[in-house]
CSV table of all heavy atoms in Angstrom, one decimal:
chain,number,residue,atom,x,y,z
A,17,PHE,N,0.7,-49.5,-126.5
A,17,PHE,CA,-0.4,-50.4,-126.9
A,17,PHE,C,-0.3,-50.9,-128.2
A,17,PHE,O,0.6,-50.5,-129.0
A,17,PHE,CB,-1.9,-49.6,-126.7
A,17,PHE,CG,-1.8,-48.3,-127.3
A,17,PHE,CD1,-2.3,-48.2,-128.7
A,17,PHE,CD2,-1.4,-47.2,-126.8
A,17,PHE,CE1,-2.2,-47.0,-129.4
A,17,PHE,CE2,-1.4,-45.9,-127.5
A,17,PHE,CZ,-1.9,-45.9,-128.6
A,18,LEU,N,-1.2,-51.9,-128.7
A,18,LEU,CA,-1.1,-52.4,-130.0
A,18,LEU,C,-2.4,-51.9,-130.8
A,18,LEU,O,-3.6,-52.0,-130.3
A,18,LEU,CB,-1.2,-53.9,-129.8
A,18,LEU,CG,-1.1,-54.7,-131.2
A,18,LEU,CD1,0.1,-54.5,-132.0
A,18,LEU,CD2,-1.4,-56.2,-130.9
A,19,LEU,N,-2.2,-51.6,-132.0
A,19,LEU,CA,-3.4,-51.4,-133.0
A,19,LEU,C,-3.5,-52.3,-133.9
A,19,LEU,O,-2.4,-52.8,-134.5
A,19,LEU,CB,-3.1,-50.0,-133.7
A,19,LEU,CG,-3.0,-48.7,-132.8
A,19,LEU,CD1,-2.6,-47.5,-133.6
A,19,LEU,CD2,-4.3,-48.4,-132.1
A,20,THR,N,-4.6,-52.9,-134.1
A,20,THR,CA,-4.8,-54.0,-135.1
A,20,THR,C,-6.0,-53.6,-136.0
A,20,THR,O,-7.1,-53.4,-135.6
A,20,THR,CB,-5.2,-55.3,-134.3
A,20,THR,OG1,-4.1,-55.6,-133.4
A,20,THR,CG2,-5.2,-56.4,-135.4
A,21,ARG,N,-5.8,-53.6,-137.3
A,21,ARG,CA,-6.9,-53.3,-138.3
A,21,ARG,C,-7.8,-54.6,-138.4
A,21,ARG,O,-7.3,-55.7,-138.6
A,21,ARG,CB,-6.3,-53.1,-139.6
A,21,ARG,CG,-7.3,-52.5,-140.6
A,21,ARG,CD,-6.7,-52.3,-142.0
A,21,ARG,NE,-7.8,-51.8,-142.9
A,21,ARG,CZ,-8.6,-52.5,-143.6
A,21,ARG,NH1,-8.7,-53.8,-143.4
A,21,ARG,NH2,-9.6,-52.0,-144.3
A,22,LEU,N,-9.0,-54.3,-138.2
A,22,LEU,CA,-10.2,-55.3,-138.4
A,22,LEU,C,-10.5,-55.5,-139.8
A,22,LEU,O,-10.5,-54.4,-140.6
A,22,LEU,CB,-11.2,-55.1,-137.3
A,22,LEU,CG,-10.9,-54.9,-135.9
A,22,LEU,CD1,-12.1,-54.4,-135.1
A,22,LEU,CD2,-10.2,-56.1,-135.3
A,23,PRO,N,-11.2,-56.6,-140.3
A,23,PRO,CA,-11.7,-56.8,-141.6
A,23,PRO,C,-12.8,-55.6,-141.9
A,23,PRO,O,-12.9,-55.3,-143.0
A,23,PRO,CB,-12.3,-58.0,-141.6
A,23,PRO,CG,-11.5,-58.8,-140.6
A,23,PRO,CD,-11.2,-57.9,-139.5
A,24,SER,N,-13.5,-55.1,-140.9
A,24,SER,CA,-14.5,-54.0,-141.1
A,24,SER,C,-13.9,-52.7,-141.4
A,24,SER,O,-14.6,-51.9,-141.7
A,24,SER,CB,-15.4,-54.0,-139.8
A,24,SER,OG,-14.6,-53.5,-138.7
A,25,GLY,N,-12.5,-52.6,-141.2
A,25,GLY,CA,-11.9,-51.2,-141.4
A,25,GLY,C,-11.8,-50.5,-140.1
A,25,GLY,O,-10.9,-49.6,-139.9
A,26,LYS,N,-12.4,-51.1,-138.9
A,26,LYS,CA,-12.2,-50.5,-137.6
A,26,LYS,C,-10.8,-50.9,-137.1
A,26,LYS,O,-10.2,-51.8,-137.6
A,26,LYS,CB,-13.4,-50.9,-136.7
A,26,LYS,CG,-14.7,-50.3,-137.2
A,26,LYS,CD,-15.8,-50.8,-136.3
A,26,LYS,CE,-17.1,-50.3,-136.9
A,26,LYS,NZ,-18.3,-50.8,-136.0
A,27,ILE,N,-10.4,-50.2,-136.0
A,27,ILE,CA,-9.1,-50.5,-135.4
A,27,ILE,C,-9.4,-51.0,-133.9
A,27,ILE,O,-10.0,-50.3,-133.2
A,27,ILE,CB,-8.3,-49.2,-135.4
A,27,ILE,CG1,-8.1,-48.6,-136.7
A,27,ILE,CG2,-6.9,-49.6,-134.8
A,27,ILE,CD1,-7.5,-49.4,-137.8
A,28,LEU,N,-8.7,-52.2,-133.7
A,28,LEU,CA,-8.8,-52.7,-132.3
A,28,LEU,C,-7.6,-52.1,-131.6
A,28,LEU,O,-6.4,-52.1,-132.0
A,28,LEU,CB,-8.6,-54.2,-132.3
A,28,LEU,CG,-8.7,-54.8,-131.0
A,28,LEU,CD1,-10.2,-55.0,-130.5
A,28,LEU,CD2,-8.2,-56.4,-131.0
A,29,VAL,N,-7.8,-51.5,-130.4
A,29,VAL,CA,-6.8,-51.0,-129.4
A,29,VAL,C,-6.8,-51.9,-128.3
A,29,VAL,O,-7.7,-52.1,-127.5
A,29,VAL,CB,-7.2,-49.5,-129.0
A,29,VAL,CG1,-6.0,-48.9,-128.2
A,29,VAL,CG2,-7.4,-48.7,-130.2
A,30,SER,N,-5.6,-52.6,-128.0
A,30,SER,CA,-5.6,-53.5,-127.0
A,30,SER,C,-4.2,-53.3,-126.1
A,30,SER,O,-3.2,-52.8,-126.7
A,30,SER,CB,-5.6,-54.9,-127.5
A,30,SER,OG,-4.5,-55.2,-128.4
A,31,GLY,N,-4.4,-53.7,-124.8
A,31,GLY,CA,-3.2,-53.6,-124.0
A,31,GLY,C,-2.6,-52.3,-123.6
A,31,GLY,O,-3.2,-51.2,-124.0
A,32,GLY,N,-1.3,-52.4,-123.3
A,32,GLY,CA,-0.6,-51.2,-123.0
A,32,GLY,C,-0.4,-50.9,-121.5
A,32,GLY,O,-0.8,-51.7,-120.7
A,33,ILE,N,0.2,-49.7,-121.2
A,33,ILE,CA,0.4,-49.4,-119.8
A,33,ILE,C,-0.5,-48.2,-119.5
A,33,ILE,O,-0.4,-47.2,-120.3
A,33,ILE,CB,1.9,-49.0,-119.5
A,33,ILE,CG1,2.8,-50.3,-119.9
A,33,ILE,CG2,2.2,-48.6,-118.1
A,33,ILE,CD1,4.3,-50.0,-119.9
A,34,GLY,N,-1.3,-48.3,-118.4
A,34,GLY,CA,-2.3,-47.1,-118.3
A,34,GLY,C,-1.9,-46.1,-117.2
A,34,GLY,O,-0.8,-46.3,-116.5
A,35,ASN,N,-2.8,-45.3,-116.9
A,35,ASN,CA,-2.7,-44.3,-115.8
A,35,ASN,C,-4.0,-43.6,-115.6
A,35,ASN,O,-4.1,-42.5,-115.9
A,35,ASN,CB,-1.7,-43.1,-116.4
A,35,ASN,CG,-1.3,-42.2,-115.3
A,35,ASN,OD1,-1.6,-42.5,-114.1
A,35,ASN,ND2,-0.5,-41.1,-115.7
A,36,LEU,N,-4.9,-44.3,-115.0
A,36,LEU,CA,-6.2,-43.7,-114.6
A,36,LEU,C,-6.5,-44.4,-113.1
A,36,LEU,O,-5.7,-45.1,-112.7
A,36,LEU,CB,-7.3,-44.1,-115.5
A,36,LEU,CG,-7.4,-43.4,-116.8
A,36,LEU,CD1,-8.6,-44.0,-117.7
A,36,LEU,CD2,-7.6,-41.9,-116.7
A,37,ALA,N,-7.6,-43.9,-112.6
A,37,ALA,CA,-7.9,-44.2,-111.3
A,37,ALA,C,-7.9,-45.6,-111.0
A,37,ALA,O,-7.4,-46.4,-110.3
A,37,ALA,CB,-9.2,-43.6,-110.8
A,38,HIS,N,-8.6,-46.5,-112.1
A,38,HIS,CA,-8.6,-47.9,-112.0
A,38,HIS,C,-7.4,-48.6,-112.6
A,38,HIS,O,-7.4,-49.8,-112.6
A,38,HIS,CB,-9.9,-48.4,-112.5
A,38,HIS,CG,-10.1,-48.2,-113.9
A,38,HIS,ND1,-10.5,-47.0,-114.4
A,38,HIS,CD2,-10.1,-49.0,-115.0
A,38,HIS,CE1,-10.6,-47.0,-115.8
A,38,HIS,NE2,-10.4,-48.2,-116.1
A,39,GLU,N,-6.6,-47.8,-113.4
A,39,GLU,CA,-5.4,-48.4,-114.0
A,39,GLU,C,-4.2,-47.5,-113.3
A,39,GLU,O,-3.9,-46.4,-113.9
A,39,GLU,CB,-5.5,-48.2,-115.5
A,39,GLU,CG,-6.7,-48.8,-116.2
A,39,GLU,CD,-6.5,-50.3,-116.4
A,39,GLU,OE1,-5.5,-50.8,-116.0
A,39,GLU,OE2,-7.4,-50.8,-117.0
A,40,ALA,N,-3.7,-48.0,-112.2
A,40,ALA,CA,-2.6,-47.1,-111.6
A,40,ALA,C,-1.4,-46.9,-112.5
A,40,ALA,O,-1.2,-47.7,-113.4
A,40,ALA,CB,-2.3,-47.9,-110.4
A,41,PRO,N,-0.7,-45.9,-112.3
A,41,PRO,CA,0.5,-45.6,-113.3
A,41,PRO,C,1.3,-46.8,-113.4
A,41,PRO,O,1.8,-47.4,-112.3
A,41,PRO,CB,1.2,-44.4,-112.5
A,41,PRO,CG,0.1,-43.8,-111.7
A,41,PRO,CD,-0.8,-44.9,-111.3
A,42,GLY,N,1.7,-47.2,-114.5
A,42,GLY,CA,2.5,-48.3,-114.7
A,42,GLY,C,1.8,-49.7,-114.8
A,42,GLY,O,2.4,-50.8,-115.2
A,43,ASP,N,0.5,-49.7,-114.5
A,43,ASP,CA,-0.3,-51.0,-114.6
A,43,ASP,C,-0.6,-51.3,-116.0
A,43,ASP,O,-0.9,-50.5,-116.7
A,43,ASP,CB,-1.6,-50.8,-113.7
A,43,ASP,CG,-1.4,-51.1,-112.3
A,43,ASP,OD1,-0.3,-51.2,-111.8
A,43,ASP,OD2,-2.5,-50.9,-111.6
A,44,LEU,N,-0.5,-52.6,-116.3
A,44,LEU,CA,-0.9,-53.0,-117.6
A,44,LEU,C,-2.4,-53.0,-117.8
A,44,LEU,O,-3.1,-53.2,-116.9
A,44,LEU,CB,-0.4,-54.5,-117.9
A,44,LEU,CG,1.1,-54.7,-117.9
A,44,LEU,CD1,1.5,-56.0,-118.3
A,44,LEU,CD2,2.0,-53.6,-118.7
A,45,VAL,N,-2.8,-52.6,-119.0
A,45,VAL,CA,-4.3,-52.4,-119.3
A,45,VAL,C,-4.9,-53.6,-119.8
A,45,VAL,O,-4.3,-54.2,-120.9
A,45,VAL,CB,-4.4,-51.2,-120.2
A,45,VAL,CG1,-5.9,-50.9,-120.7
A,45,VAL,CG2,-3.9,-49.9,-119.6
A,46,SER,N,-6.1,-54.0,-119.3
A,46,SER,CA,-6.8,-55.1,-120.0
A,46,SER,C,-8.0,-54.8,-120.9
A,46,SER,O,-8.5,-55.6,-121.5
A,46,SER,CB,-7.3,-56.1,-118.7
A,46,SER,OG,-8.2,-55.4,-118.0
A,47,THR,N,-8.3,-53.4,-120.8
A,47,THR,CA,-9.5,-52.9,-121.6
A,47,THR,C,-9.1,-52.9,-123.1
A,47,THR,O,-8.0,-52.7,-123.5
A,47,THR,CB,-9.8,-51.6,-121.1
A,47,THR,OG1,-10.1,-51.6,-119.7
A,47,THR,CG2,-11.0,-51.0,-121.8
A,48,VAL,N,-10.1,-53.3,-123.8
A,48,VAL,CA,-10.0,-53.4,-125.3
A,48,VAL,C,-11.0,-52.3,-125.8
A,48,VAL,O,-12.1,-52.2,-125.4
A,48,VAL,CB,-10.4,-54.9,-125.9
A,48,VAL,CG1,-10.4,-54.7,-127.5
A,48,VAL,CG2,-9.4,-55.8,-125.5
Side-chain angles (χ1 to χ4, degrees):
F17 53 88
L18 180 67
L19 299 173
T20 306
R21 185 181 184 280
L22 305 175
S24 66
K26 294 177 182 175
I27 308 295
L28 183 79
V29 183
S30 60
I33 301 170
N35 187 10
L36 285 179
H38 65 283
E39 306 276 5
D43 280 356
L44 299 186
V45 178
S46 61
T47 303
V48 175

